[in-house]
């Protein structure tokens, strides 16, 4: 049995601006896909190294394209799915975007390592829409996924100090705000790192390297590998390098990688914007009362 991927987010731009970002091939190539071809009302296609199952060319068929709706089929692993995107104005400078895609095997299946290629659409859209939000707001877009490589490394320049970013990464209350998911951790080498909390995670990851405000590595075990954050401050900004290693390259941990990149897009907003509010509507993380 499958279900729908569903996202709703508030974008800091008017409907016309958002629609242009969704339908202008040059803009799509900035925040979304290596290749894009759009000729409305007949053609809407994207493919290439940044697209799930996109190495062999486009696999989309446009169904509807008007001022507030974009609907197309997208065949992944031989299965035809339907993507539906709607735009709703909230004043002149704010748009609520809602997206659904059917055929998703479910978050529980994906979290247990199943779901196949089509199981990536959940975190794939989370990252794509976070990048779209930065693009229409005039902010620099973060790294796009590259499904042609086994080198999982992403680099960001963040307008905040290493201390500020490290606190957001390691304080459970702050982490739950930007990542929209609770954690518990023991901030020491050998300490536990539990997504969902210790009571809900019987096999937590372990912190294997720790240099406060500079570097931390977390071993998530076989199949996922070790995630490392490196922070280097200069001129009031910080280079944040995130990498993943130690996984089986024949079974790439794409779902988790895409999820982290989507999270880091929100982390940048969280530490950079004075008036930060969650990008996602009805964000569901239970924020811990204390760090």
């Amino acid at each position: 049995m499958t279900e729908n991927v569903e996202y709703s987010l508030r974008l800091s731009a008017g409907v016309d601006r958002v629609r242009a970002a969704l339908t202008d091939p040059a803009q799509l190539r900035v925040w979304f896909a290596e290749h894009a071809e759009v000729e409305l009302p007949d053609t809407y296609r994207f493919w290439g190294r940044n697209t799930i199952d996109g190495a062999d060319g486009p696999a989309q068929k446009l169904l509807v394209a008007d001022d507030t709706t974009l609907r197309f089929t997208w065949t992944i692993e031989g299965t035809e799915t339907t993507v539906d995107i709607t735009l709703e104005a909230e004043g002149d400078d704010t748009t609520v975007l809602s997206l659904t895609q059917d055929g998703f095997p479910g978050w529980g299946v994906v979290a247990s390592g199943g779901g196949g290629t089509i199981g990536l659409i959940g975190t794939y859209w989370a990252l794509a829409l976070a990048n779209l939000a930065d693009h229409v707001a005039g902010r620099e877009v973060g790294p796009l996924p590259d499904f042609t490589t086994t080198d999982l490394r992403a680099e960001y320049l963040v307008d905040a100090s290493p201390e500020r970013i490290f606190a957001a990464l390691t304080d459970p209350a702050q982490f739950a705000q930007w990542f929209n998911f609770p954690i518990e951790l023991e901030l020491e080498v050998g300490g536990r790192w539990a997504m969902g909390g210790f009571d809900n995670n019987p096999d937590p990851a372990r912190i294997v390297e720790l240099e406060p405000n500079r570097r931390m590595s977390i071993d998530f075990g076989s199949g996922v590998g070790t995630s490392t954050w490196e922070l280097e401050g200069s001129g009031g900004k910080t280079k944040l390098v995130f990498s993943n290693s130690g996984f089986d390259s024949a079974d790439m941990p794409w779902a988790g990688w895409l999820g982290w990149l989507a999270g880091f897009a929100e982390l940048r907003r969280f530490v950079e914007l004075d008036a930060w509010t969650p990008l996602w509507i009805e964000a569901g993380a239970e924020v811990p009362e204390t760090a």
Side-chain angles (χ1 to χ4, degrees), residues 48-227:
R49 62 179 181 168
N50 310 130
T51 301
I52 296 171
D53 213 14
D56 296 329
Q60 298 81 32
K61 179 181 178 181
L62 183 61
L63 301 177
V64 178
D66 58 30
D67 290 346
T68 60
T69 303
L70 181 64
R71 183 178 304 119
F72 54 90
T73 63
W74 180 8
T75 300
I76 302 173
E77 286 189 312
T79 299
E80 184 178 87
T81 70
T82 300
V83 179
D84 199 312
I85 300 172
T86 60
L87 308 177
E88 180 180 354
E90 280 192 354
D92 294 334
D93 300 318
T94 305
T95 300
V96 172
L97 182 152
S98 299
L99 178 145
T100 65
Q101 182 174 359
D102 60 11
F104 184 55
W107 291 108
V109 173
V110 174
S112 64
T117 301
I118 201 168
L120 304 182
I121 63 175
T123 50
Y124 172 84
W125 280 119
L127 173 57
L129 295 176
N131 282 338
L132 170 63
D134 278 334
H135 176 69
V136 299
R139 291 168 51 81
E140 182 180 357
V141 174
L144 275 63
D146 183 349
F147 294 104
T148 67
T149 184
T150 58
D151 181 16
L152 298 186
R153 184 180 186 276
E155 184 175 311
Y156 304 82
L157 183 62
V158 185
D159 191 9
S161 69
E163 292 79 9
R164 176 74 182 94
I165 298 169
F166 188 79
L169 288 167
T170 58
D171 174 1
Q174 295 187 52
F175 187 98
Q177 286 182 284
W178 62 266
F179 198 73
N180 191 34
F181 199 77
I183 63 165
E184 285 188 85
L185 62 93
E186 297 162 340
L187 194 57
E188 60 187 20
V189 174
R192 295 175 294 172
W193 173 286
M195 303 296 285
F198 294 142
D199 291 341
N200 298 315
N201 191 334
D203 187 23
R206 293 283 177 175
I207 297 174
V208 293
E209 288 186 89
L210 179 63
E211 296 180 56
N213 304 319
R214 293 188 60 187
R215 180 183 176 93
M216 182 163 65
S217 293
I218 304 170
D219 183 358
F220 286 94
S222 61
V224 180
T226 299
S227 295

Side-chain angles (χ1 to χ4, degrees), residues 250-270:
D251 186 20
M252 295 288 291
W254 286 120
W257 177 251
L258 297 171
W260 277 114
L261 296 191
F264 283 132
E266 186 71 332
L267 170 65
R268 287 175 56 219
R269 297 176 70 254
F270 180 72

